[in-house]
Amino acid sequence: MDGVGEKCILTGLRANHFRHPLDLRATESLKQLPGLDLAIRALLRPTAEQFFYLENIATSVLVGPQQLPDIHQLLVEACQILDIEAPQLYVKQHPVPNAYTFAMRGKQPFIVVHTSLIELLNAKELQAVIGHELGHLKCDHGIYLTLANLLTLAASQLPLGPVLAQNLQNQILEWVRCAEFTCDRAALLVSQESRVVASVLMKLTGGSPTLSPQLNLDAFLAQANAYEDLNYDQLAIFLKQLRTQELTHPVPVLRAKEIMQWHNTLNYQRLLQTRRLQLNEDARGGWRNW
């Protein structure tokens, strides 16, 4: 197979080739929300851009060919696969395993990965995380994603009134949860191994550098199936909704179940097959557009 190692490079990949339908609907709903433009202008001023960029570059390590080159190569390969320009990648000392993307108007986008997350994962899993974060950039999630991160801190200061501010926050959180499903798909497109993506979610749920080697992925996936089956009455459905409405991410077991299902769809298989065929045709000087 043409690609990075044994992987297919998805030349010409566009966001809507893999965007989750929930993400599509939530994005359209968000765009129609009154007060959104005002919130963006209030929170994402040029001074805010400069502050976050300087804060990050001053307190994290910038990854590159001469700085953590193995991690830099994971980024380069992931960008090749997703057909996206490489952003800056920083490693930040932090005890909470996490990774996030920051992209604001007029500035170089960057990804931050916490040291504790790197210690938790193997190289394949770390590249899947990088692919997930690249998915935010590929799908132009940056402005809304940054707004989501800031809104809960500044909602009380927005000149929107408490009801509208709360409505904005609820809509933004719903959008973020939907966008995460899309970015898990980007992680799978980079990894091209569904069990690697599911393993990341398992380790984020209950792993540590000591416990992770002992975790059983098949048992975790069975746990995900059990959670999905808890729709037997209205009370169970209500409790699940109540549990997630304040979260910025869907619960990990649901994400694992979702990515395993998408891996088995014709949509995913045809996407890789079409890209693979295009690479073969390109090598013979054939058609180049999809």
Side-chain angles (χ1 to χ4, degrees):
M1 181 189 299
D2 293 324
V4 178
E6 295 299 317
K7 297 179 183 178
C8 178
I9 296 177
L10 307 178
T11 307
L13 180 72
R14 296 194 296 271
N16 283 345
H17 290 156
F18 65 93
R19 197 187 298 267
H20 196 284
L22 289 177
D23 182 10
L24 280 171
R25 290 198 292 270
T27 299
E28 288 304 312
S29 177
L30 197 62
K31 289 178 179 178
Q32 298 172 16
L33 186 65
L36 181 61
D37 289 341
L38 179 59
I40 291 174
R41 287 197 299 272
L43 291 173
L44 307 185
R45 298 187 179 101
T47 53
E49 291 184 351
Q50 186 176 21
F51 172 81
F52 286 110
Y53 181 76
L54 291 176
E55 173 67 17
N56 185 71
I57 200 171
T59 61
S60 307
V61 171
L62 176 60
V63 174
Q66 306 304 319
Q67 184 69 275
L68 301 174
D70 290 344
I71 296 178
H72 179 256
Q73 187 60 29
L74 295 179
L75 171 68
V76 171
E77 291 180 356
C79 290
Q80 284 181 291
I81 293 169
L82 292 180
D83 197 9
I84 186 175
E85 183 178 350
Q88 292 181 336
L89 174 62
Y90 291 88
V91 171
K92 187 178 184 68
Q93 178 70 40
H94 202 287
V96 177
N98 194 21
Y100 55 89
T101 299
F102 196 93
M104 298 177 70
R105 292 165 178 162
K107 289 294 181 182
Q108 166 78 38
F110 59 84
I111 296 169
V112 178
V113 181
H114 288 175
T115 50
S116 53
L117 181 60
I118 295 173
E119 293 170 356
L120 193 63
L121 307 177
N122 62 36
K124 286 185 176 181
E125 293 163 345
L126 178 57
Q127 189 173 54
V129 168
I130 293 171
H132 176 101
E133 298 305 322
L134 290 173
H136 285 303
L137 298 177
K138 187 75 177 181
C139 296
D140 293 321
H141 287 163
I143 295 296
Y144 293 155
L145 193 63
T146 301
L147 179 61
N149 291 334
L150 297 177
L151 188 58
T152 55
L153 299 176
S156 61
Q157 302 176 16
L158 292 175
L160 302 174
V163 175
L164 185 53
Q166 184 62 48
N167 190 30
L168 265 175
Q169 182 173 328
N170 292 340
Q171 289 282 97
I172 287 284
L173 288 176
E174 180 181 355
W175 171 83
V176 170
R177 291 191 294 269
C178 295
E180 289 299 310
F181 285 128
T182 291
C183 294
D184 285 344
R185 291 183 173 189
L188 177 57
L189 291 173
V190 166
S191 172
Q192 296 173 22
E193 295 182 51
S194 57
R195 290 178 66 87
V196 169
V197 181
S199 180
V200 172
L201 295 165
M202 175 182 66
K203 289 182 178 181
L204 286 171
T205 304
S208 71
T210 301
L211 290 177
S212 290
Q214 305 174 48
L215 293 175
N216 184 318
L217 181 58
D218 290 322
F220 181 72
L221 293 175
Q223 179 182 335
N225 288 332
Y227 176 84
E228 185 70 4
D229 291 340
L230 291 176
N231 287 334
Y232 48 79
D233 60 30
Q234 289 300 314
L235 177 59
I237 294 173
F238 171 75
L239 290 175
K240 289 171 71 172
Q241 292 174 341
L242 186 66
R243 171 69 181 84
T244 59
Q245 67 182 0
E246 298 298 327
L247 300 178
T248 58
H249 291 62
V251 292
V253 290
L254 182 57
R255 293 171 64 186
K257 175 76 172 180
E258 184 75 14
I259 205 61
M260 296 298 290
Q261 288 179 332
W262 192 61
H263 177 266
N264 293 325
T265 63
L266 287 177
N267 181 21
Y268 171 76
Q269 299 297 333
R270 286 172 178 170
L271 179 58
L272 264 64
Q273 182 66 26
T274 303
R275 300 295 95 203
R276 187 185 313 160
L277 288 173
Q278 179 172 336
L279 286 170
N280 292 338
E281 289 293 331
D282 285 350
R284 296 193 296 269
W287 55 275
R288 296 181 181 272
N289 296 315
W290 183 36

